[in-house]
Amino acid sequence: MSKKCIGCGIELQGENPNANGYLPTSVLEGPSKDLLCQRCFKIKNYGQYIPIKMSKEDYRNEVRKSLKEADVAIPVFDIIDFEGSFNDEILDVLREMDSIVVINKLDLIPDQKHPSEVADWVKRRLAEEGVAPLDIAIVSSKNGYGINGIFKKIKHFYPDGATALVLGVTNVGKSSIINKLIGAKRVTVSKFPGTTLKSVKTEIPFSKITLIDTPGLIPEGRFSDFVCQECNQTLIPANEISRKTYKVQKDRVILIGGMIQMRILNDDDLKPIFALYASKDVTFHETNIEKAKELLEKADFITPPCSKCKEEFDKFKKSRVEYTVETGEELVFKGLGWLSVKRGPLKVEILAPKDGDIIIRDAFIKPKR
C-alpha cells in the first residue's frame, strides 16, 4: 500500500527528487507512519517554498472526488477578502448540500465588529448567491477564537458522526483550522498558495467526525495573482489591516499600490468621504493626474508590484471603468482590498488590469469620519 504525506496528501515516492511527493528511500521505507514529503518538510521547518506542477483542473478534480464521501461541507471564507474567497465551484457545492460556513480571520477586522454582526452580514451576502447554510461559525485560526464552535455545530447537526469536507480557495486558512480542531500540527500550513496537493483525511480525536482537507481552489480575477509570489504574500494580511480615510476633490488621483489608479470624478461642492482598506504593505498615495503617471513609472515606494515583477505586471491589459458607489456601499478589489463610502455618492474612474474583478456590495465596514 502506498504511503501519503500527512502534510499535503500527496503520494510519496523515493525515485525522483524533482517530482512531487519525494522522500529519501531510507525514510520512506522506515517504520514511521507520520511522513512528510520533502516539500512539506522544507515549508514547515524552513519556510522554503517549492513550486509544484498542478493545474487548476487538477485541484478541481481532487475536490470533486472527495465530495462523494462527504455528509456536510465546511467551506472556509476569508472575511478580509470575502469576495476573493468566492468561487463558482464552491457556491455550486453549497447550493446542493448541507453546509456549516466558517468565516476566518476575525482578528484582522478593524473597528472591532461583533461576531454576530459579521454573521448577519455574511448570511445576507450568501443569500444573494442562493446559499442557506445550516449555521455560520466566526473564527480566528490565528488565536483559536471560535474553533471549538465548529466542532459543536457539527456534533449538533450530526450527533452520530459525519464526514466533513473542508473546502475553500487558496490561503483562507483551511489547514490551520483543521490543525486547531484535531489539536496537532499535522496538516502543512503556510502562506504559500497550493500547499495542500491532495485530499487529507483526519479524524477529530474522541469523536466520530472525519475531516477531509482539500486542495485550495484557485479563483479567477484576484489582483493578488497578477504579481510575483513575494508580493502575493504581502497582500495576505498577518495583522490588522490598514485603513485611510479620504475627502478629496475632483481629478485627484489615489494610487492603491501600483496596481490601481483611482480618479475622483465628483464635481459638486460636497466632497465624498470614503475609507480605503488593504494590507499594511499596500501603499496608498494621493496625487494629481500628471504626477500619477510619473510615480507609477519611476517611484519604487509605490508597491506592489515590486521591482522584480513590475515589468510583468505592466504587460497586463488595462481598462478604464467608471463606478458610482453610494453611501453605505463598498467597492471591492478582489484579492487586494476595498473602499467604503461614508458620504456619497462617490464617482470614480478606475484604471486597473482588465481581468481583475471589481465589485460593488453593501458595506461590511462603515468608515468613521
Side-chain angles (χ1 to χ4, degrees), residues 2 22 59 80 109 141 186 189 191 237 257 268 281 322 333 356 363:
S2 62
Y22 176 73
Y59 285 110
I80 298 302
I109 300 174
S141 60
R186 285 177 62 88
V189 174
K191 286 180 73 175
D268 45 2
D281 291 303
E322 293 184 9
F333 310 105

Side-chain angles (χ1 to χ4, degrees), residues 1-6 8-30 35-41 50-53 197-198:
M1 184 178 176
S2 62
K3 296 181 178 180
K4 293 185 177 181
C5 171
I6 64 167
C8 69
I10 197 78
E11 187 172 307
L12 296 168
Q13 54 88 18
E15 298 170 0
N16 185 355
N18 297 316
N20 294 335
Y22 176 73
L23 191 64
T25 305
S26 57
V27 180
L28 185 59
E29 294 178 351
L35 297 173
L36 289 173
C37 67
Q38 176 179 256
R39 175 175 173 271
C40 284
F41 181 84
I50 301 175
I52 42 84
K53 299 179 179 67
L197 302 180
K198 296 284 184 178

